[in-house]
Amino acid sequence: MADALTPRHRWGSTELELAAMPASPPEGRETLIRIRDLHRRFGPRHILRGVSLDVYKGETLVILGGSGSGKTTLLRHLMAMLRPEEGRITVRGLGAGGGDLDMAQASEQQIESYRRNLGVVFQGAALLNSLTVLENVGLPLIEVDRLPVDQVRSRVVEALRRVYLPAEEILNLKPAALSGGMRKRVGIARAIIQKPRIILYDEPTTGLDPVTVNGVNELTLDLQQKIGVTSIVITHDIGAAFMIADRIALLYKGRIVACGSKDETRANEHPVLQQMLTGSTTGPLTEGYAK
Amino acid sequence: MERTRTKDTAAEVITRSQAAKAAERTGGVLVKQARHAGRAVLLFLDTCAQLRNTGRVMPQLVRQIEMAGFGSIVVLALIAGLTGMIMAMQTGFELSKMGLQGNLGAIIGATFLREMGPIWCAIIILARVGAAIAAELGTMVVNEEVDALRVMSINPVRYLVLPRILALVISMPLLTAIADFVGLAGGAIVSQAMFDVTIAKFKESAVLLLNGPDFWYGVFKSGVFACIIGTIACDRGLNTSDGAEGVGRATTSTVVMAVVFVLVSDFVLNAFIQAVLRPIFG
Ligand SMILES: Nc1ncnc2c1ncn2[C@@H]1O[C@H](COP(=O)(O)OP(=O)(O)O)[C@@H](O)[C@H]1O
Ligand SMILES: [Mg+2]
């Protein structure tokens, strides 16, 4: 009987997948990244099916989604590793001559200069195994800016302090000698070393123990407050989302189906969101699974 | 009676559809390989365009030469030496029946300088280093390290591919020279021990070749093999997909494709040397 009342039965699948249209930014906020009707197919598989989302300047936006829902694919579009095949992504003020950047049409040079404003924290930290922590964190300074060694060193030490790592002790270690949590922090240090305006995090807390998870979440908040960047965090960890987000968006079946502040998200009755919030095993996310 | 016929027909249908499938698969594989080859050629051209940045990749280059070159010397010398000894033994038996064992130096020399040296070097390098490059780059792709480089505006061709191919192009001709030398030495030792051909006599017989351009043709070939092995390994590594399984696939296909392309290019290069270089240099 109770089953009949679960949202699964009140929400049809079309309603479940109905895209939430981006609202105009609240007072005092301006849109930095505008994604409209973004599609991505891999062969016959339609992964992104019309993502529309606004990212406001200076906010931390968390994008929630189950595994395999296309979170990383969406993020790779924001890194310009994938260009929009269909739909548009525009970034305000980071295009040629301070104009808007249109990701589909931007030249390689424009993309490169856009990426100078971008820090990315990859899922597995993506540190280069053959390099020391110093060389890893300082890599863009060494390879792109070609700064002298002592300057690289002092900036690396500063970045490592920022992520609360004992810089002097680990500078000359290889990534293999670090714990998972430390590697993630080193990855964050590398992402912030060029003082980016946008930081993208791909599942920053996945695979870490609970204490380290909190550490990384606090670090995300801390960076947000201290260097005032715009952060986009992709995760399936709803607890982390509520801890660090200004706004939370939900990616489901290739679309953003809900997007709002923490309070709005809590109040949202979308069954997928409710299932994520309650961790229930029955609901649209686990549809078709054997009980 | 009726049943047998039905069975036959079914078997025929199965055979035919399998043949069709096999043909289809072969066609698909060919198309795919052609596409891969095209992609690899582009990667090679891209690497050549990055040559002006060689100064910036010196540390990686030194590390790669150390790994690829020095790491291969012992095993290559062992194999070349043994091959020289075996060849001397096998040809020596036949030649000594006719009293021609005095020519062992020339025969072993020609074989080694022209084919055995460069080919053994290519085989050892593609199995040891080519496979390792594909596995390493493949793992980097899977761990998103290559993406990280690109996001930081560090060109992976410059940073990863250039030092690896260049290291092979520098070390393989040297390794080939070593293989030539050790192979001849092995041959000379066996010739003396088994067929009473003194080292001096062996050398005298080989000297005609050693002074000729054959040594340099072999070295030149190994430089081309280096480009082929390095390019295939880097291309397969950088285009890895599907996680750990993909890394395994990249490694295996690097070895297979590198063997095939090294041998094909050996054939073509020999024709080129005969038709173009010999008339000029002898
Ligand atoms: N380059 C690619 N080629 C083919 N399929 C891909 C590629 N990238 C991602 N996919 C597929 O797209 C789906 C979503 O992947 P991804 O964005 O990594 O999911 P998430 O990060 O949410 O777990 C997966 O099923 C994956 O297999
Ligand atoms: Mg992912």
Side-chain angles (χ1 to χ4, degrees):
Chain A
M1 255 340 267
D3 228 32
L5 294 175
T6 58
R8 182 153 58 118
H9 297 281
R10 284 192 282 114
W11 290 60
S13 67
T14 351
E15 282 170 284
L16 278 178
E17 293 170 30
L18 212 61
M21 279 302 136
S24 53
E27 199 65 30
R29 287 286 199 188
E30 65 174 303
T31 303
L32 178 63
I33 303 174
R34 181 185 298 264
I35 307 170
R36 284 293 176 275
D37 202 28
L38 180 69
H39 288 258
R40 167 62 59 166
R41 291 178 183 81
F42 291 115
R45 300 174 58 206
H46 201 165
I47 303 295
L48 300 181
R49 299 164 171 255
V51 171
S52 295
L53 184 65
D54 284 342
V55 184
Y56 305 150
K57 203 170 196 163
E59 74 169 342
T60 300
L61 175 69
V62 172
I63 303 175
L64 280 172
S67 55
S69 61
K71 302 186 297 294
T72 301
T73 305
L74 177 56
L75 210 63
R76 287 169 63 81
H77 279 92
L78 296 177
M79 294 178 221
M81 308 291 290
L82 296 172
R83 302 284 196 103
E85 286 173 334
E86 202 185 315
R88 294 185 71 175
I89 302 178
T90 43
V91 186
R92 190 158 183 158
L94 294 183
D100 292 356
L101 177 84
D102 184 339
M103 290 259 199
Q105 270 139 38
S107 67
E108 277 302 315
Q109 271 149 334
Q110 284 170 344
I111 291 295
E112 211 160 282
S113 78
Y114 161 69
R115 283 178 176 160
R116 300 278 320 211
N117 297 291
L118 203 64
V120 182
V121 180
F122 288 89
Q123 197 164 343
L127 303 174
L128 275 66
N129 279 319
S130 57
L131 303 183
T132 62
V133 168
L134 171 65
E135 291 163 331
N136 260 299
V137 177
L139 199 57
L141 305 181
I142 299 166
E143 286 292 324
V144 184
D145 301 343
R146 299 162 88 169
L147 295 182
V149 184
D150 51 330
Q151 269 187 52
V152 171
R153 197 188 153 89
S154 69
R155 293 235 337 235
V156 168
V157 168
E158 185 196 325
L160 289 174
R161 295 241 168 85
R162 221 176 215 143
V163 297
Y164 304 102
L165 281 171
E168 311 298 346
E169 283 168 40
I170 63 166
L171 268 183
N172 294 312
L173 295 182
K174 297 271 173 78
L178 304 175
S179 70
M182 282 170 106
R183 268 205 291 270
K184 194 75 82 156
R185 278 165 194 261
V186 173
I188 297 176
R190 184 180 65 187
I192 60 172
I193 191 117
Q194 279 184 309
K195 305 194 168 30
R197 289 201 236 173
I198 305 168
I199 305 185
L200 308 177
Y201 297 81
D202 192 355
E203 309 213 10
T205 56
T206 302
L208 300 179
D209 64 86
V211 175
T212 317
V213 166
N214 280 338
V216 171
N217 285 338
E218 274 167 21
L219 185 59
T220 315
L221 269 177
D222 187 62
L223 288 176
Q224 182 65 23
Q225 282 152 9
K226 288 211 181 111
I227 55 183
V229 289
T230 306
S231 304
I232 302 171
V233 183
I234 280 192
T235 184
H236 58 234
D237 179 353
I238 197 151
F242 275 97
M243 190 165 160
I244 59 180
D246 292 318
R247 288 191 310 143
I248 298 174
L250 175 64
L251 182 65
Y252 176 68
K253 298 229 165 143
R255 293 197 184 93
I256 299 292
V257 294
C259 182
S261 68
K262 281 189 264 194
D263 290 336
E264 284 165 352
T265 303
R266 263 190 220 99
N268 194 319
E269 286 184 353
H270 195 285
V272 176
L273 211 49
Q274 287 304 319
Q275 192 186 355
M276 283 191 128
L277 276 166
T278 58
S280 161
T281 52
T282 50
L285 280 175
T286 42
E287 196 88 327
Y289 285 16
K291 279 213 180 144
Chain B
M1 188 64 200
E2 188 62 29
R3 249 177 58 180
T4 337
R5 248 178 61 199
T6 324
K7 230 166 120 189
D8 273 351
T9 323
E12 246 170 60
V13 168
I14 287 169
T15 324
R16 208 179 308 124
S17 78
Q18 272 176 349
K21 260 189 216 146
E24 207 171 279
R25 219 175 304 132
T26 315
V29 166
L30 285 179
V31 169
K32 205 171 98 192
Q33 291 306 343
R35 216 175 35 224
H36 286 181
R39 195 181 63 196
V41 170
L42 290 181
L43 177 66
F44 182 69
L45 295 178
D46 203 359
T47 312
C48 292
Q50 289 293 337
L51 272 174
R52 68 199 140 84
N53 290 319
T54 307
R56 295 179 59 187
V57 295
M58 271 306 161
Q60 292 104 295
L61 181 61
V62 171
R63 191 174 336 153
Q64 291 299 325
I65 290 180
E66 211 176 293
M67 236 166 57
F70 285 96
S72 307
I73 288 180
V74 174
V75 57
L76 180 63
L78 184 70
I79 288 178
L82 283 170
T83 314
M85 292 165 83
I86 293 165
M87 271 179 45
M89 201 188 293
Q90 292 285 27
T91 38
F93 285 134
E94 298 306 316
L95 291 177
S96 58
K97 283 184 203 159
M98 300 173 272
L100 294 172
Q101 63 271 44
N103 297 316
L104 268 170
I107 291 170
I108 307 245
T111 332
F112 256 88
L113 299 187
R114 288 181 187 172
E115 289 301 329
M116 280 295 170
I119 288 287
W120 266 134
C121 175
I123 300 284
I124 298 298
I125 288 287
L126 75 85
R128 259 192 98 252
V129 186
I133 289 176
E136 191 192 6
L137 295 188
T139 309
M140 292 182 77
V141 167
V142 170
N143 292 340
E144 297 185 297
E145 289 166 44
V146 178
D147 287 348
L149 288 176
R150 285 174 62 196
V151 165
M152 291 185 278
S153 296
I154 299 172
N155 185 338
V157 175
R158 187 197 80 218
Y159 189 77
L160 299 173
V161 177
L162 176 65
R164 281 170 176 77
I165 295 185
L166 210 50
L168 290 188
V169 172
I170 291 169
S171 40
M172 274 181 65
L174 295 173
L175 287 172
T176 298
I178 293 173
D180 288 348
F181 176 77
V182 179
L184 275 168
I189 290 167
V190 168
S191 303
Q192 171 149 41
M194 295 179 67
F195 306 106
D196 288 328
V197 180
T198 60
I199 306 270
K201 184 98 203 306
F202 187 92
K203 214 167 128 191
E204 193 188 292
S205 144
V207 91
L208 227 99
L209 277 149
L210 293 177
N211 288 344
D214 283 80
F215 170 74
W216 297 108
Y217 294 153
V219 166
F220 160 68
K221 286 204 297 189
S222 76
V224 178
F225 297 162
C227 295
I228 291 174
I229 295 169
T231 306
I232 291 177
C234 290
D235 174 68
R236 289 298 154 106
L238 286 180
N239 289 289
T240 299
S241 53
D242 305 337
E245 195 191 324
V247 175
R249 237 181 298 128
T251 311
T252 316
S253 76
T254 295
V255 172
V256 175
M257 293 325 287
V259 169
V260 171
F261 277 96
V262 161
L263 290 178
V264 169
S265 73
D266 189 25
F267 183 83
V268 174
L269 283 170
N270 286 340
F272 172 74
I273 288 167
Q274 288 299 340
V276 181
L277 297 185
R278 280 207 195 276
I280 306 172
F281 302 104

